[in-house]
Amino acid sequence: MVASSSLSSVRITTLGGGQDIGRSCVAVTLGGRMVLFDCGMHMGYTDRRRFPDFAQLGGDDLTSLIDCVFITHYHLDHCGALPHLTETLGYRGPIYMTAPTMAIARLLLKDYAQIIAKESTSGEDTMQKPAKCVRVQLTSCGLGQPCV
């Protein structure tokens, strides 16, 4: 059990998904370390509301702010913003998820990128970001095993 005085140093910041389904992302800071739980997208938006509000973290260098990201499961509302986090915002830290989540998340991100590419009229190479993202260092966690 954690002593109640220790809980005063816990900070929980909802970056997305707090009011509806989509873009699930919660930053938990404890003892000066920040863990991001989920990094989802909102399927109903095509503007900035599609992704979590990372500006709430108070800095531009997300790799120095976030110690690690943990994806709870493979739904796009929990992992769909990973390409945005890694390729657009430049996060280079560790990303953890279970092996089944990793296998399915990679497929979903690639599939979603193909759908967006077909629908895109901007000429932007939308396939590159998800393709690069799924090649970054992802670490799988075994059931009941520590990730780090």
Side-chain angles (χ1 to χ4, degrees), residues 43 45-46 50 111-124 126-127:
M43 304 296 287
Y45 297 112
T46 58
R50 172 179 277 180
D111 187 54
Y112 183 69
Q114 290 174 346
I115 292 168
I116 293 299
K118 288 178 185 175
E119 294 175 353
S120 177
T121 58
S122 68
E124 178 185 347
T126 55
M127 289 300 291

